[in-house]
């Protein structure tokens, strides 16, 4: 059976929840969606290749194009449509294709700071024909990102890049990467953001194996790699300001996406395990934190939909995310007990548990977020 709505558009729905209801009907009736319901990945690579089909289905049927402007290959509407799509996928026990998380971070930046690249590059990215990475961190520049050293020097109609990046999520599976490099003097004013093709001479991408045995991220080595001038995002020296703009999506929109996962996993764990009052408090605490994350990030998504510029308060979303992610997985592990450790069919759950340990680090560490909230939201003194 095919979709009840051939090509949905934003004006067909008077609210994101009406859109969510129609999407749910599509997913539960369209045969092409069936292989993805209840899908459990064997590995990251397996998930990446299998879920390309889901990403293409959502794009071709129009559902994932809502919430993005026409210049990106979208069908109009604001980010609340994307938020409703993520929630619907979780509700249906369908996985979110990993590239969607990168889209939430990179596409808004391209739309604002590099509109000249949108028409040509974004539709393929939304559909999943291309995957992009984010290459900011370096071996000696993570929290202190403004000290990064990758050099960007003018050369003809473009620039040459030399340096090393690390922890680029899915860098080895990506065709391109948004990259932050030093085009000027020291400090944040000397930084520029560019979009680089990774499959070119002068670039080597090496996967990094994480604790769960999966290649989550990569090192990227740049040796005189060339990037044309029209791949500069924003202007020379604007890289830091753009990275700060990006963070509101990375911390807010990502938080919304993840809260759906936590609610879903808590529910699944309760159904998998044997009722035991000893764990009620721990499960309830994790649920309360996930609910707090849901309420906070819902407001953030609504503010993003109103095109408000978010400030340091978005670090609160990230802090709530850390607490909810750790508490959810601690509670699930405790509740399922030995089964969690030993049951072969729960390997996917163990992978998610191990990934959750990175929550206090990715997207800006917990300590840095606390400092931002203390100083820039609460106005506490620096010492
Ligand atoms: C799962 C995952 C995915 C990631 N994906 C990407 C990606 O796609 N692209 C990318 O560019 N990077 C990515 N990163 C890297 C991430 O952004 C960095 O790990 C993070 O910014 C911290 O930097 P660092 O690892 O260099 O740690 P450091 O900055 O060396 O920090 C080490 C410890 O010291 C603490 N610390 C540092 N400075 C201070 C301070 N001033 N005050 C108090 N405490 C401090 C930190 O909180 C931390 O606990 C990813 C990381 C993870 C875990």
């Amino acid at each position: 059976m095919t979709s009840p709505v051939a090509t949905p558009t934003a004006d067909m729905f008077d609210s994101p929840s009406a859109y969510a209801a129609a999407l749910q009907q599509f997913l539960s009736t369209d045969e092409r969606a069936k292989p993805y319901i209840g899908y459990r990945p064997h590995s990251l690579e397996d998930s990446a290749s299998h879920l390309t089909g889901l990403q293409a289905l959502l794009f071709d049927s129009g559902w994932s194009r809502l919430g993005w402007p026409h210049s990106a290959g979208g069908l109009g509407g604001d980010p609340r449509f994307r938020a409703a799509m993520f929630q619907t996928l979780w509700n249906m026990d369908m996985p979110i294709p990993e590239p969607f998380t990168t889209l939430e971070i990179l596409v808004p930046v391209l739309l604002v700071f590099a509109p000249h690249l949108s028409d040509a590059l974004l539709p393929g990215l939304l559909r999943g024909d291309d995957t992009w990475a984010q290459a900011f961190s370096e071996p000696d520049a993570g929290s202190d990102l403004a000290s990064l050293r990758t050099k960007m020097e003018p050369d003809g109609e473009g620039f040459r890049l030399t340096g090393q990046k690390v922890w680029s999520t899915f860098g080895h599976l990506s065709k391109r990467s948004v990259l932050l490099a030093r085009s000027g003097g020291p400090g944040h004013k000397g930084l520029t953001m560019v979009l680089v093709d990774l499959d070119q001479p002068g670039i080597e991408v090496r996967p990094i194996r994480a604790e769960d045995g999966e290649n989550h991220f990569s090192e990227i080595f740049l040796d005189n790699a060339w990037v044309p001038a029209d791949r500069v995002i924003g202007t020379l020296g604007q890289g830091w300001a753009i990275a700060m703009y990006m963070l509101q999506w990375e911390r807010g929109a990502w938080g919304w996406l993840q809260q759906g996962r936590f609610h879903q996993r808590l529910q699944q764990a309760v159904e998998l395990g044997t009722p035991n009052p000893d764990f009620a408090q721990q499960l309830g605490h994790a649920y309360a934190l996930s609910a707090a994350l849901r309420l906070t990030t819902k407001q953030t998504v609504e503010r993003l939909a109103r095109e408000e510029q978010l400030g340091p308060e978005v670090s609160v979303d990230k802090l709530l995310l850390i607490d909810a992610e750790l508490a959810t997985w601690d509670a699930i592990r405790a509740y399922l007990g030995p089964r969690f450790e030993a049951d072969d069919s729960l390997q996917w759950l163990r992978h998610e548990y191990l990934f959750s340990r990175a929550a206090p680090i990715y997207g800006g560490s917990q300590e840095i977020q606390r400092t931002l909230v203390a100083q820039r939201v609460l106005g506490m003194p620096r010492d």
Side-chain angles (χ1 to χ4, degrees):
M1 195 171 163
T2 51
S3 161
V5 183
T7 305
T9 55
D11 55 14
M12 281 180 186
F13 307 107
D14 49 16
S15 67
S17 46
Y19 156 86
L23 171 59
Q24 180 150 351
Q25 193 192 347
F26 167 74
L27 292 171
S28 49
T29 53
D30 194 295
E31 286 298 323
R32 293 169 297 172
K34 292 236 161 81
Y36 305 104
I37 296 175
Y39 167 72
R40 307 284 176 246
H42 303 298
S43 68
L44 214 58
E45 268 87 2
D46 165 58
S47 149
S49 68
H50 185 65
L51 298 187
T52 308
L54 176 58
Q55 192 173 342
L57 171 63
L58 288 165
F59 184 90
D60 294 342
S61 54
W63 296 100
S64 67
R65 297 172 65 194
L66 280 160
W68 293 114
H70 293 271
S71 57
L75 293 169
D78 63 53
R80 291 172 308 155
F81 284 96
R82 281 140 45 199
M85 178 183 75
F86 296 136
Q87 190 61 49
T88 307
L89 290 170
W90 289 129
N91 291 347
M92 303 237 358
D93 193 17
M94 293 177 80
I96 309 273
E98 286 291 346
F100 276 136
T101 60
T102 318
L103 294 183
E104 285 301 314
I105 298 166
L106 300 184
V107 174
V109 167
L110 266 281
L111 285 168
V112 173
F113 295 99
H116 62 287
L117 298 174
S118 302
D119 284 353
L121 300 182
L122 293 185
L125 189 65
L126 292 193
R127 190 177 185 277
D129 301 338
D130 291 349
T131 307
W132 295 5
Q134 181 187 344
F136 290 2
S137 305
E138 297 184 0
D140 293 318
S143 302
D144 185 15
L145 192 60
S147 69
L148 68 81
R149 290 194 295 215
T150 294
K151 270 189 308 180
M152 176 173 166
E153 294 171 315
D155 181 18
E157 298 293 304
F159 299 88
R160 295 272 169 199
L161 296 164
T162 299
Q164 184 193 342
K165 296 291 176 181
V166 71
W167 310 127
S168 295
T169 299
F170 298 131
H172 57 295
L173 302 175
S174 299
K175 183 171 174 181
R176 300 192 172 93
S177 184
V178 170
L179 185 144
L180 209 50
R182 186 162 303 285
S183 58
H188 61 269
K189 289 193 178 141
L191 301 179
T192 295
M193 199 176 285
V194 284
L195 178 65
V196 187
D197 290 347
L198 294 175
D199 55 349
Q200 63 160 304
I203 295 191
E204 189 187 343
V205 185
R206 290 187 205 152
I208 302 174
R209 184 147 296 206
E211 187 186 16
D212 63 358
E214 302 277 5
N215 296 328
H216 284 275
F217 3 62
S218 310
E219 291 175 290
I220 301 177
F221 298 89
L222 304 123
D223 181 10
N224 240 4
W226 196 69
V227 58
D230 71 356
R231 288 293 188 82
V232 171
I233 299 170
T235 55
L236 290 180
Q238 206 187 358
W240 183 260
I242 301 173
M244 294 304 106
Y245 174 84
M246 188 182 277
L247 286 179
Q248 61 187 334
W249 299 91
E250 180 152 4
R251 293 182 184 150
W254 167 266
W256 169 265
L257 195 152
Q258 288 299 335
Q259 62 76 28
R261 181 198 298 271
F262 306 157
H263 280 88
Q264 175 73 10
R265 295 296 182 252
L266 283 168
Q267 183 68 44
Q268 286 169 327
V270 167
E271 285 161 14
L272 276 168
T274 314
N276 182 341
D278 291 350
F279 298 103
Q281 195 171 357
Q282 196 175 359
L283 285 165
H285 180 63
Y287 180 81
L289 289 172
S290 296
L293 178 66
R294 171 174 290 182
L295 292 174
T296 305
T297 53
K298 180 172 184 287
Q299 285 175 6
T300 302
V301 170
E302 283 164 356
R303 291 182 66 194
L304 290 169
R306 291 195 296 271
E307 298 186 9
E308 286 180 33
Q309 180 76 44
L310 307 189
E313 70 278 10
V314 80
S315 288
V316 172
D317 297 43
K318 172 72 213 269
L319 286 170
L320 284 171
L321 169 77
I322 294 167
D323 288 347
E325 184 156 4
L326 293 175
T328 294
W329 290 104
D330 286 342
I332 290 173
R333 184 180 183 183
Y335 180 64
L336 294 179
R339 191 171 167 203
F340 181 87
E341 314 293 343
D343 188 330
D344 284 347
S345 70
L346 297 186
Q347 193 199 12
W348 62 280
L349 213 50
R350 289 193 288 277
H351 278 285
E352 291 194 15
Y353 169 86
L354 286 172
F355 186 81
S356 74
R357 303 301 98 177
I361 306 170
Y362 66 68
S365 81
Q366 188 170 34
E367 289 77 11
I368 299 294
Q369 305 312 309
R370 285 180 178 156
T371 303
L372 284 171
V373 170
Q375 290 174 356
R376 297 190 48 207
V377 180
L378 300 175
M380 292 169 75
R382 285 187 169 267
D383 56 353

